[in-house]
Amino acid sequence: AFFLAFLIRYFDESSRNPEYQLIDNSNLPVYLFMSVVVALFMGLTVSAEEIFKDRKILEREAFLNLSWNSYLMSKVFVQFAISAIQALTFVIIGNAITGIKGMTFEYWLVLFSCWASANMLGLVISDSFKAVVTIYILIPFLIIPQIILSGVLVKFEKLNPNISSPVTIPFYGEMVTARWGYEALAVKQFTDNKFAKKVYVFDKTMSEARFGKDYWCSKLKGNLDKIMLDLKKGSRDDDFNTDLLLVSNEINKQMVLLPGIRFDQAEDLKPERITVKTVASALAYVESVRKYFVRQHNEANNTKDALITTMESENREAYQELRNDFFNISLEEFVTSKNEKQKTIEFGGELIQKLDPIYMDPPDRFIKAHFYSPVKKVFGFKVDTYVVNVLVIWAMTSILYVFLYLRVLKKTLSSGEKLLKRKRKIID
């Protein structure tokens, strides 16, 4: 914790005020990610030999029919106690040096959860393999996927398109503990610090309005203009049906989100029914939606400006200190995808938003959401990503315990070994 936090404690010595402030530390996302990796590596290392070293004792006492569950729980409780202490000392030291304030418990809970999950995985491999060398060689092979599939080094939409999707996290990414741990820390740090609690709701509203007026309306207007031109000239180009499908899908979605703005000709947005008059009505609808988003953006922006003006008038130094101590520019770039050139993509006949994921609400799917989603849907209710992610990590830990209790991996390896021996005998 000391070396990690001390090394990434960056500040610009050439600036007018060459002092460390959290706002300017461009390495904060690295600290969050590496904290999770350290938790996983330490958790694996501490527990990897626990059952293996008791192998002779277990074989000697097997005839006594002692409780396998009691034996495992004795290991689990000790490992979890050690991990809780390690996670607490890591957070206290690391966060103090990094300058992260007011989130000691939140960071500890996430890192302890990752530590505990790694403990359980370590116990599984400790029970399953016959050589300690094999166990310790296996640890890097368990850590590397956690690093690659965490969503930090390689974005999920940039993975091999044959086994991934540009709009959702692939199923194998959802199985990675580091993905849940890092996302929980990043979202919590950005949305729930003392500064964000005052302005996040306004930033979220402005983000939604900005996407609507600058990207959604522009895209639909462009498609409708192309469709209008094709209809007037009496010939349809190759993209006509695709453009019309996107317009139809997006307008139907928007009417659900904004029921106060109606478009009564949605059923006519089909290749066999589309007319110049329908396109003109659709353009008028899109313009009405654009004006709504402009008003929404201006209202949220004015309210936020008024709040900041009030805070600065009361105590300008206190406001600057609050922002410097809790906001981080680099983390904002990560969770808003500010440096991504592609702000939207077309996929499956829909316009998919890629900018500002930290301000986007997820679709109505159980827990499934985009990366950096601020909330997740659980039985139709919005629940903080931090809470959901911690629960998911513990659910994965519980599943690993069931695997350990049933000795699934050990039995699978033993069955494979017996099968190989049979084949060798047949060959001989």
Side-chain angles (χ1 to χ4, degrees):
F2 173 80
F3 284 110
L4 172 63
F6 185 76
L7 286 172
I8 63 96
R9 187 183 162 91
Y10 170 78
F11 61 94
D12 188 0
E13 287 186 313
S14 62
S15 64
R16 294 182 179 179
N17 185 24
E19 295 181 358
Y20 176 80
Q21 294 175 326
L22 183 68
I23 187 173
D24 296 321
N25 188 346
S26 57
N27 298 320
L28 180 62
V30 176
Y31 172 74
L32 301 182
F33 172 60
M34 288 306 302
S35 296
V36 172
V37 173
V38 167
L40 294 171
F41 182 80
M42 290 295 295
L44 272 170
T45 305
V46 169
S47 62
E49 205 177 339
E50 278 301 302
I51 297 178
F52 179 86
K53 68 183 182 182
D54 292 342
R55 180 157 298 188
K56 291 183 178 179
I57 298 174
L58 291 172
E59 291 176 355
R60 187 168 62 244
E61 297 180 349
F63 70 94
L64 296 176
N65 293 322
L66 299 178
S67 172
W68 174 239
N69 183 64
S70 298
Y71 170 78
L72 291 180
M73 293 306 293
S74 69
K75 293 293 184 183
V76 168
F77 283 133
V78 171
Q79 291 300 308
F80 282 9
I82 294 172
S83 295
I85 296 170
Q86 289 178 327
L88 181 61
T89 54
F90 185 96
V91 170
I92 291 174
I93 296 171
N95 285 19
I97 296 173
T98 311
I100 297 171
K101 300 178 180 179
M103 290 198 175
T104 299
F105 174 77
E106 288 82 356
Y107 272 64
W108 172 82
L109 181 57
V110 172
L111 294 184
F112 169 58
S113 300
C114 293
W115 235 293
S117 181
N119 285 157
M120 201 62 67
L121 182 58
L123 291 174
V124 170
I125 63 173
S126 179
D127 177 55
S128 303
F129 293 92
K130 297 180 178 181
V132 68
V133 175
T134 305
I135 293 172
Y136 282 107
I137 288 177
L138 190 61
I139 290 177
F141 289 94
L142 296 173
I143 291 294
I144 290 171
Q146 298 281 344
I147 296 173
I148 296 175
L149 299 176
S150 63
V152 181
L153 298 184
V154 182
K155 293 183 178 296
F156 291 113
E157 59 266 27
K158 301 296 183 182
L159 294 170
N160 187 333
N162 291 324
I163 55 172
S164 66
S165 167
V167 297
T168 60
I169 299 174
F171 73 93
Y172 50 87
E174 303 284 21
M175 298 167 64
V176 173
T177 305
R179 163 261 190 278
W180 298 97
Y182 167 76
E183 184 188 41
L185 289 178
V187 170
K188 190 70 173 178
Q189 177 64 46
F190 185 80
T191 64
D192 207 31
N193 62 70
K194 288 185 178 180
F195 177 77
K197 286 179 179 179
K198 298 181 181 296
V199 300
Y200 176 80
V201 63
F202 306 116
D203 289 335
K204 185 177 188 299
T205 301
M206 286 190 289
S207 173
E208 294 170 350
R210 183 166 55 250
F211 170 75
K213 67 185 182 69
D214 294 342
Y215 296 95
W216 189 89
C217 289
S218 296
K219 178 60 180 175
L220 262 65
K221 186 177 184 302
N223 280 19
L224 288 167
D225 286 339
K226 288 168 59 181
I227 293 169
M228 177 75 83
L229 183 62
D230 285 352
L231 290 174
K232 286 183 177 180
K233 70 182 183 181
S235 62
R236 303 183 178 188
D237 63 20
D238 296 337
D239 295 330
F240 184 92
N241 288 348
T242 303
D243 292 340
L244 183 58
L245 176 64
L246 185 139
V247 169
S248 176
N249 289 339
E250 289 300 319
I251 286 180
N252 281 304
K253 286 197 306 181
Q254 198 64 255
M255 285 195 297
V256 174
L257 297 174
L258 300 176
I261 306 176
R262 298 298 304 166
F263 178 67
D264 297 327
Q265 294 175 276
E267 291 297 322
D268 295 331
L269 294 174
K270 297 177 181 179
E272 65 276 8
R273 300 179 61 174
I274 190 70
T275 63
V276 171
K277 184 178 179 180
T278 302
V279 174
S281 298
L283 284 167
Y285 171 79
V286 171
E287 179 61 19
S288 298
V289 172
R290 189 192 68 82
K291 290 179 179 179
Y292 169 83
F293 282 127
V294 169
R295 290 194 301 271
Q296 185 185 50
H297 184 277
N298 291 341
E299 289 174 3
N301 189 46
N302 292 338
T303 306
K304 179 184 176 182
D305 287 345
L307 174 64
I308 292 176
T309 300
T310 301
M311 293 172 65
E312 289 183 323
S313 62
E314 291 176 353
N315 191 331
R316 184 178 180 81
E317 291 183 0
Y319 168 77
Q320 289 297 335
E321 184 178 352
L322 180 70
R323 187 170 185 271
N324 292 340
D325 288 348
F326 292 95
F327 181 72
N328 181 263
I329 296 173
S330 183
L331 183 60
E332 181 190 36
E333 292 175 355
F334 270 71
V335 298
T336 60
S337 299
K338 183 174 288 187
N339 297 326
E340 282 292 317
K341 295 180 181 179
Q342 201 171 20
K343 305 300 183 183
T344 63
I345 62 171
E346 293 181 46
F347 185 81
E350 297 182 359
L351 187 65
I352 307 298
Q353 179 180 343
K354 302 303 290 185
L355 78 159
D356 293 347
I358 192 66
Y359 298 122
M360 289 169 52
D361 287 335
D364 291 323
R365 287 181 287 183
F366 182 73
I367 295 181
K368 186 78 173 175
H370 59 275
F371 201 48
Y372 294 129
S373 174
V375 295
K376 289 182 169 64
K377 296 289 184 67
V378 181
F379 301 113
F381 297 96
K382 292 181 180 179
V383 182
D384 285 349
T385 286
Y386 176 85
V387 175
V388 173
N389 284 23
V390 170
L391 292 176
V392 167
I393 293 173
W394 280 103
M396 294 167 66
T397 304
S398 301
I399 292 172
L400 285 173
Y401 180 80
V402 173
F403 269 68
L404 176 61
Y405 178 77
L406 299 176
R407 311 186 91 168
V408 174
L409 181 58
K410 180 179 177 62
K411 291 176 181 178
T412 302
L413 293 174
S414 298
S415 299
E417 187 176 2
K418 290 177 181 178
L419 184 61
L420 286 174
K421 287 181 179 179
R422 290 175 185 173
K423 287 185 177 182
R424 286 174 183 171
K425 286 182 180 179
I426 293 173
I427 292 173
D428 293 340

